[in-house]
Amino acid sequence: MKRHYEMDNDGVRSRIGEPIAGSSVRVGPTTSNKGLGCFATHDISTGERVIVERHIMWSREHDDIYDTLNEHLRHFNELSNEDQQTYLELYPLLRPESVTELHQILGGSLSDGTQLTPEEIDRYARVELIYRSNAFEIGEPSLNDDGKINRRCSAVFPIASRLNHSCRPNLFYTTEMLPGFIICTAARDIKKGEELTISYLPYNTPERRRAWLRADDGFHCQCEICVGNDTVLKDEFEEDAAEANRLERLLAADGTWLTRGPDALMEDLIHLRDALTELSWHENLFFVASDLSVVYESNYIRSRKEEFIRNAVRSQEIAITSGAVVWRHNERLVANAVDRLQRLKTTLRGHIREGKPPRLA
């Protein structure tokens, strides 16, 4: 499972190789034995929203495979014929053990006593394998007011589910901003004809990334970081990503904010901010720059040094710039960050006024 163009299920279909009406995306064959992929139909700027797409099918997570399979098949059968065809055109990862297991399960009677034909067994096994290969998580488990658990949800998207993996992707995505939708945004400038990619997994060492991709997704990564010839790009990426990963783990450890001390914490956040800037990991950068601004402000309150309040303003500006790439200015997170920036600027102006020498008569 995988972890200003609005498209609905009637607006995303096109023949392979043709642009999708009203979008930045063309679906077509890749040149690196990855099957089909998505490509930019024009130059795309950093922060441009490339895909805003509603799911074609969704499901709750179940502990029992029979419950999971029943829900997937029920949702599939509720789709229109056209949506079913769109869904079935997606790629299924055909692991022999999974195919055998599904044929054994589907070969028995269904919960309502129905006996499937061999053709129906093949069709429904494909439905399940497509879901396993293409679904994105769209919701974390949570508790209702009555204490019952809302299970994790996932969904398949007609176009976004075709996005291939890169360890240095040019898109990042969120499924949390708009319920039922995936939003893919350009992490850096993208040229017309360039393949659009996302990362299927969080950063780790090259060896672990490749091992996870082989185990979970069944392929050897062919991205520019893993097999490219630009050794400088690869080395710089791995160095920045390793440093970002190390610092994020350090700062996420329990009690770090209390035990590191303000100076060490500030230094770690500065290094992490710089690494994330080089990597164009805008979502992470928003939160890190916001945290760094808080640390700068705390140091200003403690010392009353102007450099700290100025740095707090600058770091908050970096957070807003990164946040606007991910969520746009009118989203609550960014709007709250803008409000905080105005407060910091007011503090800075007050400090400057207090620090000015009195005007001579």
Side-chain angles (χ1 to χ4, degrees):
M1 184 180 295
K2 302 169 185 170
R3 321 251 193 276
H4 202 152
Y5 301 97
E6 184 161 330
M7 301 175 287
D8 56 27
N9 285 346
D10 294 324
V12 298
R13 300 184 187 87
S14 69
R15 294 182 180 178
I16 300 303
E18 294 181 354
I20 300 159
S23 82
S24 307
V25 181
R26 170 181 62 83
V27 176
T30 65
T31 58
S32 53
N33 299 319
K34 293 185 292 187
L36 297 176
C38 296
F39 299 84
T41 59
H42 59 79
D43 290 348
I44 298 172
S45 300
T46 303
E48 184 175 339
R49 287 187 175 173
V50 182
I51 298 173
V52 181
E53 181 181 39
R54 188 177 185 276
H55 63 72
I56 192 171
M57 192 170 118
W58 73 280
S59 175
R60 293 183 181 87
E61 183 183 81
H62 295 280
D63 297 327
D64 186 87
I65 187 174
Y66 293 92
D67 292 337
T68 299
L69 190 56
N70 281 330
E71 179 156 352
H72 289 173
L73 298 186
R74 176 171 60 83
H75 284 304
F76 176 78
N77 286 326
E78 291 171 352
L79 298 176
S80 67
N81 290 336
E82 192 173 7
D83 282 343
Q84 287 186 2
Q85 182 59 37
T86 298
Y87 180 92
L88 290 171
E89 289 173 355
L90 294 171
Y91 169 78
L93 177 59
L94 301 175
R95 297 183 186 275
E97 63 274 17
S98 299
V99 174
T100 300
E101 177 191 36
L102 289 171
H103 275 75
Q104 289 175 345
I105 294 173
L106 293 168
S109 297
L110 299 184
S111 57
D112 60 0
T114 302
Q115 191 75 37
L116 297 178
T117 67
E119 292 77 15
E120 289 173 326
I121 291 174
D122 287 341
R123 178 180 174 86
Y124 287 141
R126 183 178 179 84
V127 168
E128 176 62 19
L129 291 169
I130 287 173
Y131 199 92
R132 294 181 185 182
S133 304
N134 293 278
F136 290 79
E137 291 183 0
I138 60 172
E140 294 292 328
S142 59
L143 286 176
N144 288 326
D145 293 338
D146 59 5
K148 293 183 178 180
I149 295 178
N150 284 322
R151 293 182 176 272
R152 188 192 310 272
C153 294
S154 58
V156 171
F157 300 87
I159 300 305
S161 290
R162 293 188 181 277
L163 292 167
N164 286 316
H165 166 84
S166 173
C167 296
R168 184 176 178 263
N170 52 24
L171 300 181
F172 56 87
Y173 69 88
T174 177
T175 58
E176 299 176 1
M177 189 188 308
L178 190 60
F181 282 74
I182 188 169
I183 299 174
C184 301
T185 306
R188 57 179 183 273
D189 291 347
I190 302 170
K191 295 294 186 182
K192 178 180 178 180
E194 186 178 342
E195 184 178 2
L196 303 170
T197 57
I198 58 174
S199 177
Y200 290 1
L201 70 174
Y203 173 76
N204 212 298
T205 63
E207 294 75 17
R208 287 189 176 182
R209 290 202 309 270
R210 292 165 197 153
W212 284 347
L213 290 168
R214 285 196 299 271
D216 294 345
D217 298 283
F219 68 87
H220 295 271
C221 186
Q222 301 293 309
C223 76
E224 60 183 341
I225 298 301
C226 289
V227 300
N229 296 320
D230 189 339
T231 56
V232 174
L233 175 67
K234 292 163 67 173
D235 291 345
E236 288 180 350
F237 172 85
E238 295 293 2
E239 182 180 347
D240 289 332
E243 179 68 357
N245 189 53
R246 182 189 73 79
L247 290 169
E248 285 188 330
R249 289 178 180 274
L250 174 65
L251 293 168
D254 290 341
T256 294
W257 285 80
L258 297 175
T259 59
R260 290 287 288 165
D263 293 337
L265 184 60
M266 183 171 63
E267 184 177 349
D268 289 341
L269 286 169
I270 291 171
H271 290 320
L272 179 54
R273 181 196 64 191
D274 293 344
L276 293 173
T277 300
E278 290 297 323
L279 293 165
S280 298
W281 291 359
H282 297 285
E283 184 173 356
N284 303 54
L285 180 56
F286 169 80
F287 293 106
V288 169
S290 297
D291 288 344
L292 181 56
S293 179
V294 171
V295 174
Y296 275 132
E297 184 183 17
S298 298
N299 284 347
Y300 168 73
I301 293 172
R302 180 167 52 89
S303 67
R304 307 302 292 179
K305 291 183 178 179
E306 184 177 323
E307 64 179 289
F308 286 129
I309 192 62
R310 285 192 179 278
N311 286 333
V313 168
R314 177 58 185 146
S315 195
Q316 192 69 12
E317 289 174 339
I318 292 173
I320 291 168
T321 300
S322 298
V325 170
V326 184
W327 298 290
R328 296 297 194 242
H329 281 289
N330 61 343
E331 297 296 335
R332 181 176 295 276
L333 276 173
V334 181
N336 289 344
V338 170
D339 289 343
R340 183 170 185 276
L341 175 62
Q342 297 308 315
R343 180 175 62 78
L344 290 171
K345 286 183 174 180
T346 299
T347 302
L348 175 59
R349 287 193 294 268
H351 177 93
I352 293 171
R353 283 197 300 270
E354 292 173 4
K356 283 183 177 179
R359 183 176 297 177
L360 298 176

